Structure formats: structure tokens, C-alpha cells
Amino acid sequence: MRRDIFQAIADPTRRAIMILIAVQAMTPNTIAENFHTTRQSVSKHLRILTECELVKQEQQGREIYYSLQIEKMKEIDIWLDQFRKLWETRFNQLDKVLSTMKKQKK
Amino acid sequence: MRRDIFQAIADPTRRAIMILIAVQAMTPNTIAENFHTTRQSVSKHLRILTECELVKQEQQGREIYYSLQIEKMKEIDIWLDQFRKLWETRFNQLDKVLSTMKKQKK
DNA sequence: TGTTTAAGAAACCGTTCGGTTGCAAATATA
DNA sequence: TATATTTGCAACCGAACGGTTTCTTAAACA
């Protein structure tokens, strides 16, 4: 039951939900209407996203508005950073550039 | 059996393998020695990583050297871009709110 | 040639995942 | 107060996942 941010973004439905509520907070019912799935299914996804702090909720009467906790996304960015350094320095090497040109010729 | 780059990086062992072979190409046996797992398990992970083109292999005799196909990582970077725009423009949001309040005052 | 070594493929097993169904709690409304 | 609405939670089910075991193929080497 160990929730992980990388496991959270592995599911395509969850990624779609994230994009949907990134701009505007939404209730589970409204989110479900935007996809072809049930409310309960969305609720489960939201629970997983909440568990790894990718999403925050705001109660308003009997409705709960969910929105993306965008700061958390930086964790992925940080992880990606170690590879970004590699692909940037790789392109600065002349021989690598030449071998890339060779490939493109094919 | 649909392989997806986001599903591929969901597993912590696979992420560790990716970092390991990002700098230097390695054989499945050598990779397995670096973790506390079997060669067959690593082989399975490498198969998944190969299927979504995150890894490339180079045969050398009876040994197969695996290395990270770092260009593929940019796909994650591109996906992250749409959120990056949001968290960067969030700094400017305060200005927008203030100008809107000004308008409403008029 | 026979043996050793490196690796992939297939079968199996326990666990987890995603979805559905049914139910309970809390709030709004008549 | 009684009813309808919004939501979360638990139980269940089929599929996929991660790991192990076993078998086969291919190359190196005596």
C-alpha cells in the first residue's frame, strides 16, 4: 500500500484527471462526467492522488473540490534532472553529434 | 500488455536500473549483481524498458550490453511542460488578481 | 568435441491494480 | 422531519504485475 508519485502518474486516467483539475478545481461528480467512467472509480483515483499529496481537497458544503498540488510535480522534475544533465552534455560532444548525423542519414 | 513510458518508470527497481545504465552500458548479470535480485528478474525489467524504447541493446559476443536511450526521457519532460507552465505563471497570478480587483473597484 | 557461461522464453504463484456494486455518513431541500 | 444529493468506504472480481523456477539457445573455451 506504499503510495509513490511515480506509481500515481502511471495510470492514464489519473494523468487525465491531473490535467483536468490543474487549471480549475472540480468535484468528483464533475470529473467523472468529463470521462467515460463512474464516480466511484474517479473517487478511488483521487484517493491515490491525495495519498501522495498530488491533489488537495477543499470542502464546500456537501461538495468537495479537488485541485492539483502543482508544487509536488517538481519532484518528478528533480528526478528527471539527473538525466537531463546527461542528455545535455551528450549533445555538446562533437563525436556524439556526428554519430547522430550518421543515424539520420540512414 | 500495452507498454507505456509512465508505467515503465513506476517501478523503483526499473528506475534504479535506468540510473545505473545511464552512464555506462551493462550486461544483465552485472546489473543484477548491483542489486539484490536475480538475473531473470532484471531480464524481465529490461524487456519492459526495451519495449517502450527506454533502453537499447548491443550484442558483443554472447554478452548483451544494455544502455539508456536518453532521448526517450524527453517525452516525460514534454509531458511535465504543461504543468511547468502553470507553476511558473503562478507567480504572475497575484498580479492578475490585483488588476482584476482594481477593475472591479472601478 | 564436450563443457561452461550468458541470456531469453515459458510456466507458475502470490500480490496488487482498476473497476463495479452496495452501503453508510453528511449536507441540502421540501 | 422526511427526502434527495454528494461523497467516501468496504467487499468483490478479473486482469496485470513482479519474482522464481525451469528449459532452451548461442557463444566462448578446454
Side-chain angles (χ1 to χ4, degrees):
Chain A
M1 202 64 75
R2 271 198 136 290
R3 294 298 175 197
D4 181 301
I5 191 173
F6 292 99
Q7 203 194 350
I9 64 166
D11 186 78
T13 308
R14 276 198 289 272
R15 288 200 302 277
I17 290 174
M18 286 168 67
I19 293 172
L20 196 63
I21 63 172
V23 184
Q24 190 181 4
M26 278 187 179
T27 65
N29 261 327
T30 319
I31 295 168
E33 281 166 14
N34 277 274
F35 303 107
H36 305 293
T37 182
T38 59
R39 179 191 62 78
Q40 281 87 347
S41 174
V42 169
S43 190
K44 260 197 169 185
H45 285 304
L46 286 171
R47 186 167 161 265
I48 291 169
L49 290 170
T50 307
E51 272 176 16
C52 55
E53 298 169 343
L54 264 171
V55 147
K56 61 169 181 265
Q57 39 187 304
E58 201 175 332
Q59 187 110 19
Q60 223 164 27
R62 67 182 163 187
E63 289 177 335
I64 301 175
Y65 283 86
Y66 285 88
S67 59
L68 192 69
Q69 199 122 35
I70 217 157
E71 291 77 24
K72 193 74 177 179
M73 301 293 287
K74 287 183 185 174
E75 280 190 18
I76 303 167
D77 204 43
I78 290 165
W79 176 76
L80 214 57
D81 235 18
Q82 58 194 323
F83 298 103
R84 200 175 290 119
K85 278 171 193 162
L86 279 172
W87 84 53
E88 277 171 2
T89 55
R90 188 157 293 189
F91 275 115
N92 292 341
Q93 294 171 358
L94 185 62
D95 52 345
K96 294 287 178 184
V97 172
L98 288 174
S99 69
T100 308
M101 287 174 71
K102 252 194 201 172
K103 267 189 186 172
Q104 287 174 332
K105 267 195 177 178
K106 284 186 197 170
Chain B
M1 203 65 77
R2 267 203 134 284
R3 294 298 176 195
D4 180 299
I5 192 173
F6 292 99
Q7 203 194 350
I9 64 166
D11 187 78
T13 308
R14 275 197 290 272
R15 287 202 302 276
I17 290 175
M18 286 168 67
I19 293 173
L20 196 64
I21 63 173
V23 184
Q24 191 180 4
M26 278 188 179
T27 64
N29 260 326
T30 319
I31 295 168
E33 281 166 14
N34 277 273
F35 304 106
H36 304 293
T37 182
T38 59
R39 180 191 61 79
Q40 281 86 347
S41 173
V42 170
S43 190
K44 262 195 166 186
H45 284 304
L46 286 171
R47 187 167 160 262
I48 290 169
L49 289 170
T50 308
E51 273 176 15
C52 55
E53 297 169 342
L54 266 170
V55 147
K56 61 169 180 268
Q57 39 187 303
E58 200 175 332
Q59 187 110 20
Q60 223 164 28
R62 65 181 165 188
E63 289 176 335
I64 301 175
Y65 282 86
Y66 286 89
S67 59
L68 193 68
Q69 199 121 38
I70 217 156
E71 291 77 24
K72 193 73 177 179
M73 302 292 288
K74 287 184 184 172
E75 280 190 18
I76 303 167
D77 204 41
I78 290 165
W79 175 77
L80 214 58
D81 235 19
Q82 58 193 323
F83 298 104
R84 200 176 291 119
K85 278 172 193 160
L86 279 172
W87 84 53
E88 277 170 2
T89 55
R90 188 152 289 192
F91 288 112
N92 302 334
Q93 258 185 3
L94 186 63
D95 295 328
K96 282 183 187 171
V97 171
L98 288 173
S99 66
T100 309
M101 286 173 71
K102 257 191 195 171
K103 268 188 185 176
Q104 287 174 334
K105 267 191 179 176
K106 283 183 194 173

